Amino acid sequence: MTRTIVASATREVIIGFDQPFCVIGERINPTGRKKLAAEMNEGNFETVKADALAQVAAGATVLDVNAGVTAVNPNETEPPLMVKTLEIVQELVDVPLSIDSSVTAAIEAGLRVAKGRPLVNSVTGEEEKLEAILPLVKKYDVPVVAISNDESGISEDPDVRFAVAKKIVERAADYGIPAHDIVVDPLVMPIGAVGTSGQQVFQLLRRLRDELKVNTTCGLSNISFGLPHRHGINGAFIPMVIATGMTSAIMNPCRPQEMEAVRAANVLNGTDPNCQEWIMTYRDHQPAAAGASAAPTEAPSAGGRRRGGRAARRTA
Amino acid sequence: MTRTIVASATREVIIGFDQPFCVIGERINPTGRKKLAAEMNEGNFETVKADALAQVAAGATVLDVNAGVTAVNPNETEPPLMVKTLEIVQELVDVPLSIDSSVTAAIEAGLRVAKGRPLVNSVTGEEEKLEAILPLVKKYDVPVVAISNDESGISEDPDVRFAVAKKIVERAADYGIPAHDIVVDPLVMPIGAVGTSGQQVFQLLRRLRDELKVNTTCGLSNISFGLPHRHGINGAFIPMVIATGMTSAIMNPCRPQEMEAVRAANVLNGTDPNCQEWIMTYRDHQPAAAGASAAPTEAPSAGGRRRGGRAARRTA
């Protein structure tokens, strides 16, 4: 059974098909958050700290850390900021971290200070990336997110994306990195732009699980980009990818609809024994908060409902 | 491609892997609804009518009709009540109907008056049932729900349930009934009682789709029986079964969380072209209604969020 171990100084998280879905909190990322970028540039980490605490409280089991505040000279400015951000976050919370950067020097600097066994986010199938990142992954003995695009961009053909993932796994093996330390991102395109993107991902996930036997992740909310009521799309996408084999996602755990979907899918996937987390979380749930009935009549007692010949269906 | 055609006098619904998920409204059923049973016994069909209209308005594409108001002499009392109920419902709404009874005489009486091509609900693998129901299904050329239990009850072994389904399909073939007119119910056990019931269903659905190539259905809310916040479990179960091949469910369409899950899963499964129904339904969605953020900070612009090396991931 494929198991990817991610760890902080004191806590270990296993990503695997028989494990609860691994929620990698995406909030500590200044991209598209001007206020946060300005704060981090000024050495103000209050929002970073608040986001770290809020995400762990909401149920994130790993936190992604991105310090890409500027496109100006990132090779020099980003490594020290990554180090500082990682140090602050790992001082505050005990979950494992993901070192997220497109700047190799920032990843390397991060690897020097991150405690435990952080996740590297990410390598792609691009030759330059493979040669820069894989030696670091090997040297520090850490797992890595492998994004299934290469020099030619992101293919709309799932077979090509599978081939890129396979190439990365094989190249990693050349460096002595086992497949269970590669977490493949099959790439999720917005369904509003590419109508087949859901089916593409489901098909890819089955192959990645059955043929490459690797763990998987994605930037989850990409799927709903541009659509109204994105949480509704995200909240259905999560159970669907879990049912087809995805084992982690980079997402916002502070969204209750998405986290509810994760918890319910864990119950249904058999990774929340005795529904313990579900019951603890929702035993006092008020229907008014979500899912209230539009029907004015009495609640259905579906468990006791008779259908043709199935009076006893509830009891095995 | 497997297609099960259900029809009223004027409207046809196709159940199939490439079709929107077929929502069979479960509300017109006096089992466990004492008030409704009393009304129907007295010849008062106001609640039946209200339930028919509400379910169609909520998005049901087929309505299940059950007239089992009493366990006293059902062979005599249920057939005329089934006829009356079917007549009232098909007078009022134009969706196809499902004739739901454990009383063969009620199914036969219903088949005589139901217009179009109703669904018979149901046959099981029990010898007596097979011999009673299959000739009616053949005579009236209608599709039938096949529940995967037999004289020995409901097996907890998915292989046994698959074998029962296969037996029903084969027996139906002996009567000249094609597999595309069999809609198998793999039987959903409450996850709170049987921790593997989700995995059992997913495994069964894949085999039913790949090996028997049949459409499938289930009494959906059984999965969450006994748990708190059942809508949350149901709302994740729907996308998971759709992702693994289920093509219809007998459920309460008047529950917004469940219908949202159906609509979102249709988008993601590629059966809501251009996200048209989603956009029409949710374009004015107010976050406060469901899925509001617990985080006080700005919304994430995930589409524009940078992660390592994937700035262009949104555009294929």
Side-chain angles (χ1 to χ4, degrees):
Chain A
M1 186 60 84
T2 305
R3 288 168 174 255
T4 305
I5 310 267
V6 193
S8 66
T10 55
R11 197 196 282 201
E12 185 178 279
V13 169
I14 302 171
I15 305 174
F17 302 122
D18 59 346
Q19 300 291 319
F21 193 65
C22 176
V23 174
I24 304 170
E26 71 178 10
R27 295 286 294 157
I28 302 175
N29 188 331
T31 317
R33 297 178 71 185
K34 277 188 188 172
K35 187 163 161 284
L36 176 60
E39 284 178 16
M40 289 172 75
N41 252 333
E42 291 162 8
N44 171 358
F45 292 88
E46 293 313 307
T47 301
V48 167
K49 289 179 186 171
D51 281 344
L53 292 170
Q55 290 184 102
V56 172
T61 46
V62 172
L63 291 188
D64 190 72
V65 174
N66 181 307
V69 293
T70 171
V72 182
N73 204 11
N75 287 321
E76 285 189 22
T77 57
E78 195 169 321
L81 192 57
M82 174 63 88
V83 166
K84 181 79 183 154
T85 312
L86 286 169
E87 286 174 339
I88 283 168
V89 174
Q90 70 186 356
E91 178 80 13
L92 191 66
V93 294
D94 70 347
V95 298
L97 303 181
S98 158
I99 303 172
D100 179 4
S101 181
S102 53
V103 176
T104 303
I107 288 182
E108 182 157 24
L111 282 167
R112 277 191 220 106
V113 299
K115 294 175 183 166
R117 196 163 198 261
L119 180 65
V120 166
N121 183 7
S122 58
V123 69
T124 69
E126 296 162 287
E127 201 54 41
E128 193 189 343
K129 278 279 173 190
L130 291 165
E131 288 172 17
I133 302 296
L134 292 180
L136 292 175
V137 168
K138 174 62 183 171
K139 177 179 173 187
Y140 288 90
D141 182 27
V142 289
V144 63
V145 172
I147 304 182
S148 51
N149 70 304
D150 61 14
E151 288 82 358
S152 61
I154 300 172
S155 173
E156 280 203 41
D157 180 347
D159 290 341
V160 173
R161 299 223 293 279
F162 180 82
V164 173
K166 191 161 183 243
K167 178 182 84 171
I168 301 174
V169 169
E170 287 166 354
R171 286 294 295 274
D174 293 342
Y175 284 91
I177 302 162
H180 66 242
D181 273 337
I182 313 289
V183 179
V184 171
D185 182 339
L187 282 166
V188 170
M189 248 83 82
I191 191 94
V194 182
T196 55
S197 71
Q199 292 159 293
Q200 283 178 21
V201 170
F202 307 146
Q203 187 188 330
L204 264 164
L205 286 172
R206 287 195 197 94
R207 291 192 68 190
L208 289 167
R209 175 176 181 150
D210 295 344
E211 297 176 42
L212 291 190
K213 297 179 172 56
V214 290
N215 280 309
T216 43
T217 197
C218 72
L220 192 114
S221 61
N222 280 346
I223 191 73
S224 60
F225 182 80
L227 287 180
H229 188 26
R230 293 183 64 177
H231 304 303
I233 297 287
N234 298 346
F237 189 55
I238 291 166
M240 291 179 100
V241 293
I242 292 178
T244 45
M246 191 171 272
T247 48
S248 72
I250 299 166
M251 56 183 278
N252 183 352
C254 299
R255 297 286 172 175
Q257 187 164 3
E258 280 86 333
M259 282 305 291
E260 180 178 306
V262 169
R263 291 190 189 100
N266 283 342
V267 167
L268 295 162
N269 209 25
T271 60
D272 179 5
N274 303 314
C275 312
Q276 195 174 348
E277 192 188 336
W278 182 265
I279 292 169
M280 291 292 285
T281 310
Y282 297 106
R283 58 186 167 188
D284 300 321
H285 180 82
Q286 293 301 315
S293 174
T297 50
E298 73 270 39
S301 60
R305 173 90 31 111
R306 186 182 67 161
R307 278 172 56 208
R310 64 178 73 188
R313 70 188 318 196
R314 273 194 290 129
T315 49
Chain B
M1 186 62 83
T2 306
R3 287 167 174 254
T4 305
I5 312 266
V6 193
S8 65
T10 55
R11 198 195 283 199
E12 184 179 280
V13 170
I14 302 170
I15 306 175
F17 302 123
D18 59 346
Q19 300 293 318
F21 193 64
C22 176
V23 174
I24 304 170
E26 71 179 9
R27 297 285 295 156
I28 303 177
N29 188 331
T31 317
R33 298 178 72 185
K34 277 189 189 172
K35 187 163 160 285
L36 175 60
E39 283 177 16
M40 290 172 75
N41 251 334
E42 290 162 7
N44 172 357
F45 291 88
E46 293 313 307
T47 301
V48 167
K49 289 178 186 172
D51 282 345
L53 292 169
Q55 291 183 102
V56 172
T61 45
V62 172
L63 292 187
D64 191 71
V65 173
N66 182 308
V69 292
T70 170
V72 182
N73 204 11
N75 286 321
E76 285 189 22
T77 57
E78 197 170 320
L81 192 58
M82 174 62 89
V83 166
K84 180 80 182 156
T85 312
L86 285 170
E87 286 175 338
I88 282 167
V89 174
Q90 71 186 358
E91 179 81 9
L92 191 66
V93 295
D94 70 347
V95 299
L97 304 181
S98 158
I99 304 172
D100 179 3
S101 181
S102 54
V103 176
T104 303
I107 288 182
E108 184 159 21
L111 283 167
R112 277 192 221 109
V113 299
K115 294 174 184 166
R117 197 164 197 260
L119 180 64
V120 166
N121 184 8
S122 57
V123 69
T124 69
E126 296 163 286
E127 201 54 41
E128 193 188 344
K129 278 279 175 192
L130 291 165
E131 288 173 16
I133 302 297
L134 292 182
L136 291 175
V137 168
K138 175 61 184 173
K139 177 179 174 186
Y140 288 91
D141 182 28
V142 289
V144 63
V145 173
I147 305 182
S148 54
N149 72 304
D150 60 14
E151 289 83 357
S152 61
I154 301 172
S155 174
E156 280 202 39
D157 180 347
D159 290 340
V160 173
R161 300 223 292 279
F162 180 82
V164 173
K166 190 158 182 245
K167 179 181 82 170
I168 300 174
V169 169
E170 287 167 353
R171 286 295 294 276
D174 293 342
Y175 284 91
I177 301 162
H180 66 243
D181 273 336
I182 313 288
V183 180
V184 171
D185 181 338
L187 282 165
V188 170
M189 247 84 79
I191 192 94
V194 182
T196 55
S197 70
Q199 292 158 294
Q200 283 178 20
V201 169
F202 306 146
Q203 188 188 328
L204 264 164
L205 287 171
R206 287 194 197 93
R207 292 192 68 190
L208 289 167
R209 176 176 180 149
D210 294 344
E211 296 176 42
L212 292 190
K213 299 179 171 54
V214 289
N215 281 308
T216 42
T217 196
C218 73
L220 191 115
S221 62
N222 280 345
I223 191 72
S224 60
F225 183 79
L227 287 179
H229 188 26
R230 294 182 61 176
H231 303 304
I233 296 288
N234 298 346
F237 189 55
I238 291 166
M240 293 178 99
V241 293
I242 291 178
T244 45
M246 192 172 274
T247 48
S248 72
I250 299 165
M251 56 183 280
N252 183 354
C254 299
R255 297 285 171 176
Q257 188 164 3
E258 279 87 332
M259 280 306 292
E260 181 178 306
V262 168
R263 291 190 190 99
N266 282 342
V267 167
L268 296 162
N269 208 26
T271 60
D272 178 6
N274 303 312
C275 312
Q276 195 173 348
E277 192 190 336
W278 182 265
I279 292 169
M280 291 292 287
T281 310
Y282 297 107
R283 58 187 168 187
D284 299 321
H285 181 83
Q286 294 301 314
S293 174
T297 50
E298 73 272 37
S301 61
R305 173 89 31 109
R306 187 183 64 162
R307 279 171 54 206
R310 63 178 72 189
R313 70 188 320 201
R314 274 194 291 126
T315 50

